[in-house]
Amino acid sequence: MKSVHLLKPLLFSCAIFILLFANCGLLDFDNRPTKSRMEGVWQVTEAYDEDGYSIMDQIAFPITAFHLSSDNTVISTAGPMAMYLVYGASNSKFLEVVGKVDQVFNYASLN
């Protein structure tokens, strides 16, 4: 009977230990630096304006992606996204067309 009463606090203590230290660096088995972990192709799947509305239909033509290389090179198809960040949500067709043309040329050169 005593062993059952001792088992409950022990299990509770183990559960608390796991919950508290699960994200601790001591239990992190992937020792690669952050720079190495970020290398590769990243796709923008969500983007919102300051009011919380999605802007993906304005910046993704058909995709917005970034390629981060080990030599600190960044290649992206983020022309429309950059135009949106610089000029804001203007309804100018010129900015929309320039951003989309820039992105098409990135695809044409396989960048």
Side-chain angles (χ1 to χ4, degrees):
M1 203 59 160
K2 285 186 177 185
S3 63
V4 173
H5 292 293
L6 292 175
L7 186 62
K8 286 182 182 179
L10 180 63
L11 289 175
F12 181 74
S13 298
C14 289
I16 294 296
F17 177 80
I18 290 171
L19 289 175
L20 289 177
F21 296 105
N23 290 327
C24 180
L26 297 173
L27 300 177
D28 188 12
F29 298 111
D30 188 3
N31 293 328
R32 295 180 301 149
T34 302
K35 180 181 179 243
S36 298
R37 284 192 245 173
M38 288 190 63
E39 292 172 4
V41 177
W42 293 82
Q43 179 182 356
V44 178
T45 58
E46 294 183 26
Y48 300 96
D49 65 4
E50 60 272 0
D51 297 325
Y53 297 108
S54 177
I55 59 170
M56 286 303 295
D57 58 338
Q58 298 171 2
I59 68 168
F61 174 72
I63 186 175
T64 301
F66 295 87
H67 180 261
L68 306 176
S69 300
S70 61
D71 61 351
N72 295 332
T73 304
V74 177
I75 300 171
S76 75
T77 60
M81 183 176 173
M83 290 290 203
Y84 186 91
L85 292 174
V86 172
Y87 296 108
S90 68
N91 292 329
S92 170
K93 285 292 181 187
F94 173 75
L95 295 177
E96 182 180 339
V97 170
V98 168
K100 289 181 179 181
V101 167
D102 179 49
Q103 196 167 22
V104 168
F105 280 115
N106 281 341
Y107 285 121
S109 64
L110 298 178
N111 287 333

